[in-house]
Amino acid sequence: MQVVNTIEALRLARRALLGRVGAVYTMGALHAGHIGLVNAARAENDSVLTTIFINPLQFKANEDFTRYPRDLDRDLAMFEAAGVDLVFTPTPELMYAPDFQTSVRVSRVSRGLEGKARPGHFRGVATVVAKLFNLTQPDITYFGQKDAQQVVVIRQMARDLNFPLEIVVMPTAREENNLAMSSRNAYLSPEQRHAAGIVPHAIKAAALEYEKGERRPIRLIAAVREVLAREPVARVDYVAINNPRDLRPIRKATEAPLLLSLAVQVGTPRLLDNALLPYALNNRADLTRLLGGSE
Ligand code: AMP
């Protein structure tokens, strides 16, 4: 496995990669969710490229950029064990020169949900991913369902700017209590981690209502909120139902697939989770069809 941290070394090493290249982009502090993406890339491509970069542009001033967990040696060992060929680990100074002045703004799909909760976040995400796509030139990229809006924003950008690549969406990897894995789960105390189990539980409650025939978004959202209300330390930020393709809010009962998303604060940490309804759609093929795809 080759590890590079300059643009020149990356370009040289990228040119030397053979055949079809699969890529996974991360902020490090790796967990089984990240490695699941790498395993898929490894199984399906001649070469696997990954990046580790905590992108300052996507954090607001009061967010956790400086506290975000960092452990490069452990991350590299995990990538090596998973069979990665090339890792790019740039510094913020390398990615953003002092006179940096370009950004990528994906308008409509960035507006709601996390975009509303974190103004400017998706502009930071789209800008860094455009740079990483240009730098790494992948044939196929692997993203996680965990950040469903992020992948919709990136797909829109890839289409609008003609990046010649495919976007695969892998189902959310979960802890034993079904909590969605996240590098930020490291911030949870044992009690908060236990309380956080309410989030997947609430999603399951809505999935069950859906299965029983409920199609009214307002009722499905109420089912989620009812379960969350049982956990006193959980503070709901939003529970929303959107069209998974364009993220428009859905208000009327429909048989079309729904994206149920929620953000819940448990103590300081903010937890995100989502699911497609009907629940059987939460598999790689359907997730990729609805949230991912190609140009
Ligand atoms: P991050 O390091 O959090 O920026 O995530 C890097 C990639 O891993 C993104 O495509 C995420 O959506 C994906 N990812 C993060 N957590 C999970 C998870 N629990 N299951 C599957 N993919 C994930």
Side-chain angles (χ1 to χ4, degrees):
M1 183 175 84
Q2 200 178 350
V3 183
V4 294
N5 59 11
T6 67
I7 306 288
E8 298 69 32
L10 171 66
R11 291 226 162 97
L12 264 177
R14 169 63 188 88
R15 259 183 246 128
L17 288 181
L18 298 175
R20 193 172 133 100
V21 174
V24 175
Y25 306 96
T26 80
M27 300 205 298
L30 301 179
H31 51 66
H34 298 114
I35 298 305
L37 307 188
V38 172
N39 289 342
R42 181 70 280 167
E44 298 162 16
N45 296 281
D46 302 301
S47 303
V48 177
L49 182 161
T50 61
T51 64
I52 301 174
F53 179 58
I54 307 176
N55 174 33
L57 227 54
Q58 71 192 64
F59 290 77
K60 278 191 293 188
N62 59 345
E63 287 181 347
D64 56 345
F65 175 71
T66 50
R67 299 193 293 130
Y68 197 86
R70 289 164 169 85
D71 193 344
L72 186 60
D73 291 341
R74 175 177 168 275
D75 291 344
L76 292 177
M78 285 174 78
F79 276 155
E80 174 125 58
V84 172
D85 298 295
L86 174 60
V87 190
F88 180 46
T89 60
T91 58
E93 295 71 30
L94 183 72
M95 293 294 276
Y96 304 114
D99 67 339
F100 189 86
Q101 49 196 292
T102 303
S103 68
V104 178
R105 194 171 72 88
V106 182
S107 54
R108 216 174 44 235
V109 293
S110 299
R111 215 166 272 157
L113 306 172
E114 284 305 284
K116 194 164 170 193
R118 304 176 70 189
H121 170 68
F122 285 118
R123 193 187 317 195
V125 168
T127 302
V128 78
V129 173
K131 283 170 68 72
L132 292 171
F133 281 175
N134 278 327
L135 286 164
T136 59
Q137 308 266 314
D139 296 294
I140 178 161
T141 62
Y142 297 80
F143 288 88
Q145 172 190 7
K146 167 81 196 328
D147 305 284
Q149 186 178 15
Q150 170 170 284
V151 77
V152 171
V153 168
I154 291 167
R155 174 187 60 184
Q156 191 65 43
M157 177 195 71
R159 284 185 179 165
D160 291 349
L161 301 184
N162 304 97
F163 283 99
L165 47 82
E166 268 177 69
I167 295 173
V168 170
V169 183
M170 300 293 289
T172 300
R174 296 178 180 279
E175 316 260 7
E176 259 164 44
N177 65 350
N178 283 327
L179 174 64
M181 287 189 177
S182 164
S183 305
R184 289 189 168 99
N185 290 353
Y187 302 147
L188 295 169
S189 69
E191 298 75 36
Q192 289 170 337
R193 189 175 287 264
H194 179 76
I198 200 77
V199 172
H201 194 59
I203 290 182
K204 275 292 171 67
L208 205 64
E209 288 302 307
Y210 188 97
E211 223 166 89
K212 286 195 246 160
E214 184 59 77
R215 295 290 181 274
R216 292 168 295 178
I218 198 166
R219 294 307 314 157
L220 295 166
I221 289 171
V224 172
R225 285 183 173 275
E226 273 161 35
V227 174
L228 293 173
R230 289 183 213 150
E231 179 48 69
V233 302
R235 259 202 6 252
V236 180
D237 186 349
Y238 61 77
V239 182
I241 290 193
N242 300 75
N243 179 328
R245 290 188 162 282
D246 57 16
L247 301 186
R248 283 178 208 262
I250 301 210
R251 298 199 176 82
K252 287 191 190 140
T254 170
E255 291 300 320
L258 303 175
L259 176 66
L260 168 66
S261 331
L262 61 160
V264 176
Q265 203 144 353
V266 173
T268 331
R270 196 161 160 275
L271 307 172
L272 297 188
D273 207 342
N274 69 76
L276 292 174
L277 299 177
Y279 204 78
L281 291 176
N282 293 285
N283 64 77
R284 171 184 165 154
D286 287 311
L287 287 163
T288 300
R289 175 171 62 80
L290 291 165
L291 304 171
S294 56
E295 195 190 328

